[in-house]
Amino acid sequence: MSPNSTTGTGTGSIGTALSTLFHPRQLSDSWRGAQLSKLIEMQLEQERDQLPLWVPVALGCGIASWYVLANAAWSLAFISLCGGTALFAVMTGRDTRAGQAFFWLALLAAIGCALIGFRSWSVAAPVLERPIVTTFNAGIERVEPVLARNMVRLTLSTGENSDLPPTVRVNVPLDQAHPGLQDGALIQLRARLMPPAMPALPGAYDFSERAWFQGLGATGQALGEIRILRSADPLFALSRYRQQLSAHVQSQMSGAAGAIGATLATGDRGAIDEADAEAMRRSGLAHLLSISGLHVTAVVGAIYLLVLKTLALSPALALRFRLPIVAAACAALAAVAYTLMTGAQVPTIRACVAALLVLVALMMGRSAITLRMVAAGALFVLVFWPESLVGPSFQLSFAAVTAIIALHEHPQIKALVILRDEPLIRRIARFIFSLFLTGLVVEIALMPIALYHFHKAGLYGALANIVAIPLTTFVIMPLEALALVLDSIGLGAPVWWLCEQALSSLIALAHFVSSRPGAVTMLPSMPVVAFGLVILAGLWICLWRERWRYFGLIPAIVGALLIITNRAPDIYITGDGRHVGIRNQQGELAMLRTSGGDFIRDMIRENAGVEGESQALEDWPNAQCNSDACLVTIENEGRKWVLLATRGSHYISALALSAVCRRADIVVSDRWLPASCQPRWIKADRDLLSRVGGMTIDLEQQKISTALAWTGRHIWTRYRSREDDARKVNARKADVRKPD
């Protein structure tokens, strides 16, 4: 039937009237949809050169989705949804750039989700179920001196020992570290081993996830003397050379200068004092301690220029060979050698791959420092180590490089900082301004990542890096390399002295900046949604070139508001129930136990966003404590909450415990509390905490967050479930029924 037909509408005039009432609106909707589709198509056509940059982003979205879903069934559903979206894009828009973009976005997201799922399955290894003390034989896979903590960290292969995981990590006190502890040696030791630690609080560091992908099934502490059953094979001499080089550097420069000098030469950070490391973090200079892009770039650039300029002195070589290709090849070898010498950690490998891509581009006569190079490096890492996406190292390094290149590719910035023929003073001023602007943009780019992972970020890093980066790149590293070369003929001492003075200046700068008022911003754990909005907004702004890039400011502002307005919880309970932190409205923190070690206290302070030392709970008002427990009254928004927390190991009668439980709103304990203990709201004893992990409580909103809800039930988590309890009960029943 025709839309304009008058059948069933009475007279023709009425039918025509109805037709004219509806037809224009339908045309308007269709026209608006067509205009929007055309506008998107035009924008994507203008940005066609930028579309490949979104390949690692799409892959990363799939990897991130797998972490968030934390369930095989949901991950399969996500892959199916992406597959359906890709098919729909092919069917409806195969000839349009928007349709092709949605197809590849969905397909790569599905591949990313499948890739991390396969990776987590492929590295699966047995994990220790409970703490044990045992004697065993093992081969040394890796030796890592941690001199600042007076210990050596050994990664061991337990071989065919069926009672232990295949790979464990053991800390050895420095006074028990035998010189024969080298890669490839076979040893016998007694150690206390325990399963890899899960996050103690929601949003805290999850070592169990890192250990899973590293293949570590247990960690522990060596007890007593270690016997060397077989010395190391000479094939494993690289680790020995690394240790010898680190010791040599520290012998030439004393104190903190020697420790940081050894870090720059070998990647060995174990000798850096915690006070110096904290000063570097607070001043925004911690990136100088991680062998990554800056250091590899300095080595590659120095070797490239040295080889190129040296060979160019010979007219015969300059006329017969393409010297840039020869210099690039030598620089590539230097990059690989430096990566191996510094331990071949993932950040260093990532920087090495990026440097090799740059050198290949130089050999081909192409522009080297581009966002496509960054995208290629990110894609390489995500394909081989997809789990690195959620780590701070990957996020910080690629965010910094992306922000720098995007800044200097902007036409106005490029015109502002480009070198030109002008007086020397103006040239120096332009260079300093370029450094400051770059440092400022990098600080803005890295701040949300630092706040998400470490709950704190430096504010003066842009100013500090103006001095620190040129000092490290053009003074410290060249002096250290020259001193090592001159040591071969016994003339390195004067250069070592100069290098020590430069390193001492760097350390003094870090301490000066970190001690300034307001040097560090601390915030409590931020919502994952806010972090995701800020990251996607930053990518949108950096990867596009047209004006629609500024639409990314909308999610950036929304995410920033969510981060700023996020309220810190009032109560923090670790997963073992031993440690409780209470935060008042003035931002002060009180701890149930003050003898639990600096690590636990620092971790709770960081998650609470509290700067300064914590107090003992018994010193707080409205707190009644003895050796067995503390009873605290917390006032919040006009309401009083009563919290009971046990902290002793002595027996408490069930009758007395039940009576005090009825007076409390919240009960926290590292024990299994009896069923007669019934508080008015929450009973966070060992039974509950073993199921959900550590938790935080917001009294104002009466909201509870758990480590299980934060991380999800991944393959490496060991939270108890009802299915586990049912299996144990059935196993006990089967043992009882089994005939003698």
Side-chain angles (χ1 to χ4, degrees):
M1 184 184 298
S2 172
N4 293 329
S5 172
T6 59
T7 304
T9 60
T11 65
S13 60
I14 296 177
T16 303
L18 289 173
S19 175
T20 56
L21 282 174
F22 286 94
H23 192 61
R25 186 173 182 85
Q26 293 167 354
L27 278 176
S28 176
D29 291 342
S30 175
W31 180 81
R32 290 171 184 169
Q35 287 295 103
L36 179 61
S37 176
K38 184 178 180 181
L39 181 61
I40 294 175
E41 190 70 15
M42 290 176 57
Q43 288 289 340
L44 291 176
E45 183 64 28
Q46 292 176 343
E47 299 274 15
R48 60 186 179 274
D49 292 337
Q50 303 298 103
L51 291 176
L53 303 179
W54 290 90
V55 170
V57 176
L59 197 71
C61 287
I63 296 171
S65 299
W66 183 86
Y67 273 96
V68 172
L69 296 172
N71 182 281
W74 283 106
S75 298
L76 184 60
F78 175 81
I79 294 173
S80 302
L81 177 63
C82 290
T85 304
L87 288 176
F88 177 78
V90 168
M91 297 298 295
T92 59
R94 68 175 68 182
D95 297 328
T96 64
R97 196 170 291 277
Q100 295 175 9
F102 277 111
F103 167 78
W104 286 109
L105 178 67
L107 181 62
L108 289 166
I111 292 174
C113 187
L115 188 65
I116 182 62
F118 174 77
R119 168 73 172 166
S120 66
W121 170 81
S122 65
V123 300
V127 176
L128 196 66
E129 294 184 0
R130 59 184 180 275
I132 60 171
V133 176
T134 183
T135 300
F136 60 99
N137 298 343
I140 300 178
E141 293 186 350
R142 181 180 175 85
V143 180
E144 182 183 357
V146 189
L147 302 182
R149 296 172 59 183
N150 294 318
M151 69 179 187
V152 176
R153 186 170 289 157
L154 304 179
T155 301
L156 306 174
S157 174
T158 60
E160 299 179 355
N161 192 331
S162 59
D163 297 332
L164 296 176
T167 306
V168 301
R169 196 179 74 183
V170 174
N171 295 331
V172 180
L174 197 59
D175 56 359
Q176 299 177 15
H178 193 278
L181 297 179
Q182 302 292 337
D183 291 6
L186 182 65
I187 62 174
Q188 184 182 78
L189 72 160
R190 179 176 174 82
R192 182 179 187 273
L193 300 177
M194 61 187 64
M198 292 190 294
L201 290 171
Y205 176 61
D206 186 1
F207 177 71
S208 63
E209 185 261 346
R210 180 184 176 189
W212 179 265
F213 286 102
Q214 290 182 343
L216 294 177
T219 61
Q221 180 77 21
L223 305 174
E225 184 180 355
I226 299 176
R227 292 179 55 196
I228 306 294
L229 302 181
R230 186 186 68 221
S231 299
D233 192 291
L235 292 176
F236 295 91
L238 182 60
S239 174
R240 186 182 307 171
Y241 294 151
R242 187 185 308 122
Q243 294 180 35
Q244 292 175 352
L245 178 59
S246 177
H248 174 72
V249 172
Q250 293 178 59
S251 67
Q252 298 298 317
M253 297 185 294
S254 60
I260 295 181
T263 300
L264 297 178
T266 66
D268 176 17
R269 302 175 59 176
I272 300 177
D273 186 74
E274 181 58 31
D276 295 326
E278 180 65 17
M280 297 290 282
R281 286 192 291 267
R282 292 172 61 91
S283 60
L285 304 180
H287 63 95
L288 299 177
L289 303 180
S290 176
I291 305 300
S292 55
L294 175 66
H295 310 80
V296 175
T297 300
V299 171
V300 168
I303 297 299
Y304 180 86
L305 291 175
L306 181 64
V307 173
L308 182 64
K309 298 300 183 183
T310 302
L311 295 181
L313 296 176
S314 171
L317 293 176
L319 293 174
R320 293 185 179 184
F321 299 98
R322 294 185 61 185
L323 296 187
I325 295 180
V326 177
C330 294
L333 292 175
V336 174
Y338 186 59
T339 300
L340 294 175
M341 182 56 67
T342 54
Q345 300 295 320
V346 173
T348 317
I349 295 175
R350 188 166 59 237
C352 181
V353 170
L356 294 179
L357 291 174
V358 170
L359 293 172
V360 170
L362 288 174
M363 291 180 183
M364 298 173 61
R366 303 287 298 274
S367 178
I369 311 300
T370 64
L371 286 176
R372 288 202 175 194
M373 180 270 292
V374 178
L379 185 63
F380 177 86
V381 173
L382 292 179
V383 168
F384 289 96
W385 301 282
E387 71 277 7
S388 64
L389 175 76
V390 298
S393 176
F394 177 91
Q395 296 172 9
L396 290 169
S397 59
F398 276 101
V401 176
T402 301
I404 291 171
I405 296 178
L407 172 70
H408 288 274
E409 282 188 350
H410 194 283
Q412 295 181 357
I413 301 298
K414 186 184 296 186
L416 183 64
V417 302
I418 192 172
L419 296 178
R420 61 197 71 182
D421 187 14
E422 59 185 353
L424 179 61
I425 296 178
R426 291 178 60 88
R427 195 179 308 172
I428 294 175
R430 194 179 301 277
F431 175 74
I432 294 175
F433 174 76
S434 175
L435 276 179
F436 173 76
L437 184 62
T438 301
L440 181 62
V441 170
V442 169
E443 285 296 318
I444 295 173
L446 300 188
M447 184 172 290
I449 301 174
L451 289 174
Y452 179 78
H453 290 283
F454 311 117
H455 314 292
K456 56 185 175 182
L459 297 181
Y460 304 145
L463 294 172
N465 277 289
I466 291 178
V467 177
I469 290 178
L471 180 64
T472 303
T473 306
F474 302 116
V475 178
I476 294 174
M477 293 189 69
L479 284 176
E480 189 165 350
L482 178 60
L484 289 172
V485 172
L486 293 178
D487 275 348
S488 60
I489 56 176
L491 298 177
V495 184
W496 280 120
W497 183 85
L498 291 174
C499 187
E500 182 177 355
Q501 302 309 307
L503 281 166
S504 299
S505 301
L506 177 66
I507 298 166
L509 173 66
H511 281 278
F512 174 78
V513 173
S514 64
S515 62
R516 297 306 92 193
V520 174
T521 295
M522 296 194 67
L523 290 177
S525 299
M526 69 174 67
V528 178
V529 174
F531 179 65
L533 284 173
V534 173
I535 294 300
L536 289 177
L539 289 171
W540 185 273
I541 293 172
C542 290
L543 300 188
W544 295 129
R545 287 185 174 178
E546 300 299 321
R547 288 188 175 182
W548 70 338
R549 69 194 302 181
Y550 298 112
F551 287 142
L553 293 175
I554 298 174
I557 293 173
V558 173
L561 290 175
L562 290 175
I563 294 172
I564 295 172
T565 59
N566 180 44
R567 185 180 183 276
D570 301 287
I571 302 173
Y572 297 82
I573 306 169
T574 58
D576 56 6
R578 291 179 51 81
H579 301 279
V580 179
I582 301 177
R583 187 183 192 274
N584 63 15
Q585 296 180 354
Q586 288 74 40
E588 300 171 330
L589 186 70
M591 296 288 295
L592 174 67
R593 300 173 189 262
T594 57
S595 59
D598 293 336
F599 174 77
I600 294 294
R601 290 198 297 271
D602 291 345
M603 183 265 298
I604 295 178
R605 285 194 302 106
E606 290 175 2
N607 278 262
V610 173
E611 178 78 11
E613 293 296 326
S614 57
Q615 305 176 31
L617 188 56
E618 53 261 34
D619 297 334
W620 266 39
N622 302 323
Q624 304 174 16
C625 297
N626 56 30
S627 59
D628 294 323
C630 278
L631 190 67
V632 188
T633 301
I634 307 170
E635 296 187 9
N636 185 278
E637 297 295 328
R639 177 175 175 178
K640 294 184 177 180
W641 300 82
V642 179
L643 180 142
L644 170 67
T646 66
R647 63 175 181 177
S649 58
H650 299 98
Y651 171 76
I652 303 176
S653 68
L655 185 62
L657 189 60
S658 300
V660 73
C661 282
R662 286 193 295 269
R663 295 170 50 196
D665 298 287
I666 304 167
V667 174
V668 182
S669 179
D670 58 344
R671 311 180 182 193
W672 299 85
L673 296 180
S676 58
C677 176
Q678 294 294 330
R680 290 190 286 262
W681 188 23
I682 305 167
K683 183 170 73 172
D685 63 346
R686 182 178 295 185
D687 178 62
L688 177 62
L689 294 175
S690 65
R691 297 177 186 275
V692 301
M695 60 174 59
T696 59
I697 302 175
D698 186 340
L699 297 178
E700 181 178 316
Q701 302 179 12
Q702 299 187 23
K703 176 183 176 182
I704 301 174
S705 298
T706 66
L708 174 61
W710 188 279
T711 63
R713 197 177 291 277
H714 283 289
I715 191 172
W716 55 81
T717 57
R718 302 184 306 278
Y719 299 114
R720 285 175 52 233
S721 64
R722 298 185 185 278
E723 292 77 8
D724 296 333
D725 294 341
R727 281 194 296 268
K728 291 181 180 179
V729 170
N730 293 333
R732 292 195 198 100
K733 291 180 179 179
D735 290 339
V736 170
R737 295 171 183 171
K738 189 180 298 183
D740 295 334

